[in-house]
Each structure stands twice: as structure tokens, then as C-alpha cells.
Amino acid sequence: MMISRVLSRVPAFSRSYSTTASGILTVGVVGAGQMGGGIAQVAAMVGKKNVILVDSRQTQLDASVSLMDKLMKKNVEKGKLTNEEREATLGRIQKATDISQLAQADIIIEAATENEALKKSIFKDISNVAKAGAILATNTSSISITKIAAASKTPEKVIGMHFMNPVPVMQLVEIIPGLQTSDETRITTLRLAEELGKTCSLSQDMPGFIANRLLMPYINEACQALQEGIGSREDIDKTMKLGP
């Protein structure tokens, strides 16, 4: 199993793991933007989970589900998805503007704007409505999981679950436990990610985690290459997009 290989390379974490199901039946997603909508689609389509997609704006919820439908219709036309599967996926997604609806969720994944204060505020709110034992995950790409967890009532249930963009296409999910994240929370989250058809990497709660620590030097070198006149802006961009 991919998770077993991942865990074997991270000696700082307990390696206890079994291949049993995650036990997650209902996934809550906070934020119906590009990331939140993508997470909701994959959870419903690949994971066959019931999804509660929450956003304060009904128009954003409607636009998000409409985009999912548009993308799935294209896959139906390409033969990658049946129309019955498309309809079943949409049927598993419940839209809500009231965060209290998340009380039914086994895991709540926050996918709001990358702003620490906003995420802490959301975690404070979802802590008040989450059922006992629910996992609270954040899709942050760089903010400390431990800091976000401090805003919740159950820091042992808080974990980073960093999906790559676009979620339905990109294979990787970065899993980041905070200082107080329990082994049970980490293992259940890893199992869920695999049920969503994803491959996991496991990162310590350090600035940038793994993905952005690797990405930032690459971007910085592109700027340095432009400054040194190694190539034109267009040629550097072309090499970044089509090269290594």
C-alpha cells in the first residue's frame, strides 16, 4: 500500500496502520471556491461520500455545483464517466449556507482563503457545531496546523489535508499533523485520502510543508534567471511550464 511506504519514510510518526476503511461516511467542506468545490466533487464522485458543501453565499454554492456538473458532463462525453455516475455524484452533494449543517459530518475540511485569522475564526465556529469525534481538517498550503488547531476545542482532531489544484486532476494530497494531532486522526485521514483516489505524502508541521518548500526555490530561481538575463521572460515561463 502507498500509505505504508509513506509512513516507513517518516520515522518521527507512529507507523501503526491497517487497510480497513476510514469509517468516514459524510464529508463537510467549508468554502465553495475552486478548491472546496473540487474537494466536494472528488469526495462524492470517487469516494462515494455524502457531502455537505457550505458557503455563506448561495450564489457561490450554485456556481460551484454548476461547474462540477459542467466538468462531469465533459467526462461523460469522453467516456470517462457514465451519466448515471454524474447524476449519483450530484445527488450526494448537499448545499448549505448555515454552518450548523456540518453537525452531521464525520470530517469537516476547511477550504477557505489562505488567511490565518480567517481560518482560525472558521475553526472556532466549526468546533462549536462538529459532532463528537469529528475530524477537522484544513486545506492550507503553508499555515501552521498547530496554530490553527489552537482555535479549536479539539486540537487532537485537527490535521492538515493539503489537496493540489485542480483537485479532480492532481493525484497528491499532503497530510500534515499538528503537534497535538492524535495517531487516530492521522491514520483515519490517510485512509480517507486513499478512498478519494489520492496518493499521500506525510509532512511535519514546518513552514511550507513539503510541496511549497520544493516549489518556492524553483520559482525564486526563475526570477533570478530573469535578473541575470539567462533568458527572456517568455522563454523562462515556457521552460517552467514545459520543462522539469
Side-chain angles (χ1 to χ4, degrees):
M1 291 290 292
M2 179 61 69
I3 288 178
S4 299
R5 293 201 294 272
V6 170
L7 291 176
S8 70
R9 296 197 295 269
V10 189
F13 295 119
S14 168
R15 298 179 189 173
S16 59
Y17 177 73
S18 68
T19 57
T20 56
S22 68
I24 301 293
L25 300 177
T26 301
V27 176
V29 180
V30 179
Q34 185 170 359
M35 293 303 296
I39 294 167
Q41 180 182 337
V42 168
M45 181 174 68
V46 180
K48 305 294 190 294
K49 309 297 182 182
N50 296 316
V51 176
I52 305 165
L53 180 60
V54 175
D55 198 287
S56 60
R57 299 160 295 171
Q58 184 65 47
T59 53
Q60 183 61 46
L61 286 166
D62 294 340
S64 181
V65 174
S66 178
L67 177 60
M68 292 181 212
D69 193 22
K70 179 180 178 180
L71 295 174
M72 287 190 289
K73 282 179 177 176
K74 287 185 178 179
N75 283 334
V76 170
E77 291 172 0
K78 295 176 182 178
K80 296 180 179 180
L81 192 72
T82 68
N83 195 54
E84 290 74 18
E85 288 170 331
R86 179 187 68 82
E87 291 177 348
T89 296
L90 293 173
R92 295 186 190 103
I93 300 172
Q94 171 189 340
K95 297 181 288 184
T97 55
D98 187 348
I99 202 169
S100 67
Q101 296 298 310
L102 293 170
Q104 307 168 49
D106 301 304
I107 184 172
I108 301 171
I109 304 173
E110 168 272 314
T113 303
E114 193 74 352
N115 178 288
E116 183 177 330
L118 175 62
K119 290 181 183 291
K120 286 182 175 179
S121 176
I122 291 172
F123 268 75
K124 181 179 178 180
D125 290 341
I126 61 178
S127 286
N128 290 327
V129 301
K131 69 180 182 181
I135 293 173
L136 309 180
T138 172
N139 185 52
T140 181
S141 61
S142 60
I143 300 170
S144 167
I145 307 304
T146 302
K147 287 184 178 180
I148 293 174
S152 77
K153 294 179 178 179
T154 54
E156 73 280 3
K157 305 300 292 185
V158 176
I159 194 164
M161 198 175 189
H162 177 208
F163 290 82
M164 305 296 138
N165 187 30
V167 180
V169 176
M170 301 299 283
Q171 185 68 23
L172 183 68
V173 174
E174 207 171 17
I175 304 296
I176 313 101
L179 287 178
Q180 293 179 271
T181 304
S182 69
D183 283 348
E184 180 185 10
T185 297
R186 172 178 51 81
I187 292 168
T188 300
T189 305
L190 285 163
R191 288 172 179 161
L192 173 63
E194 280 209 337
E195 289 172 359
L196 303 189
K198 300 301 183 183
T199 299
C200 299
S201 63
L202 193 59
S203 173
Q204 297 276 3
D205 188 15
M206 301 291 285
F209 314 138
I210 296 173
N212 278 331
R213 284 288 290 270
L214 297 174
L215 177 63
M216 288 303 107
Y218 189 48
I219 294 173
N220 288 340
E221 280 301 311
C223 297
Q224 187 67 29
L226 179 62
Q227 184 177 4
E228 293 177 7
I230 294 175
S232 68
R233 180 178 61 186
E234 291 75 18
D235 284 327
I236 292 170
D237 283 349
K238 187 187 303 180
T239 304
M240 289 278 286
K241 293 175 182 177
L242 304 178

